[in-house]
């Protein structure tokens, strides 16, 4: 059975490949989305990749996932550090949630060291570039398999 998974991305991530390539790499957002969809196919997941710079839209997508019991891979980007509305929406989740980051926030500026999302996530994967998303999707697939086996 193929499971639907939402890969949600917060502000500025559509600028991947051109935004601070020394920090975020040269992979474009379209390349990242293709990597996620390809990984999903290999894992028997139906992956839908979305990006928004709008906090309200991201919260709406999280509500949609909660209502439909859809797992989420989430790169909240700057919302990671201060969006309590996003955190509160994520706390209502009904399926696995993996927080991802391309870089390792703990090695960056101090304001990036705090995640308001981590406390309501199933887990966090950070610092592996685009592979962070691959690892997150693998984790989701494993969690869904465990759930199906019980």
């Amino acid at each position: 059975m193929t499971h639907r998974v939402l890969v949600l991305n917060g502000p500025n991530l559509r600028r991947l490949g051109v935004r601070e390539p020394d920090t975020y790499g040269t992979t474009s957002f379209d390349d990242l989305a293709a990597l996620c969809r390809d990984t999903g196919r290999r894992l028997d997941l139906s992956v839908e990749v979305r990006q928004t710079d709008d906090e309200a839209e991201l919260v709406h997508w999280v509500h949609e996932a909660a209502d439909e019991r859809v797992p989420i891979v989430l790169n909240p980007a700057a919302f990671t550090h201060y969006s309590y509305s996003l955190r509160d929406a994520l706390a209502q989740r009904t399926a696995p949630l993996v927080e991802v980051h391309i870089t390792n926030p703990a090695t960056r500026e101090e304001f990036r060291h705090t995640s308001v999302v981590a406390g309501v996530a199933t887990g966090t994967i950070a610092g592996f570039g685009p592979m962070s998303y691959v690892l997150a999707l693998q984790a989701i697939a494993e969690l869904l398999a465990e759930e199906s086996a019980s």
Side-chain angles (χ1 to χ4, degrees), residues 22-95:
D22 289 347
T23 300
Y24 297 104
T26 57
T27 301
S28 72
F29 180 78
D30 289 340
D31 291 341
L32 176 67
L35 174 65
C36 291
R37 288 190 297 271
D38 291 345
T39 300
R41 277 191 285 279
R42 287 195 309 278
L43 297 169
D44 200 26
L45 301 173
S46 175
V47 173
E48 183 178 336
V49 182
R50 301 178 186 175
Q51 187 279 327
T52 185
D53 297 325
D54 184 324
E55 185 176 12
E57 185 171 35
L58 187 56
V59 167
H60 173 75
W61 292 342
V62 169
H63 291 164
E64 172 191 327
D67 291 347
E68 297 176 16
R69 304 186 65 81
V70 174
I72 298 172
V73 171
L74 172 66
N75 186 337
F79 296 146
T80 303
H81 316 294
Y82 69 87
S83 179
Y84 296 106
S85 62
L86 178 60
R87 183 250 180 249
D88 289 349
L90 292 165
Q92 300 171 52
R93 70 183 175 84
T94 56

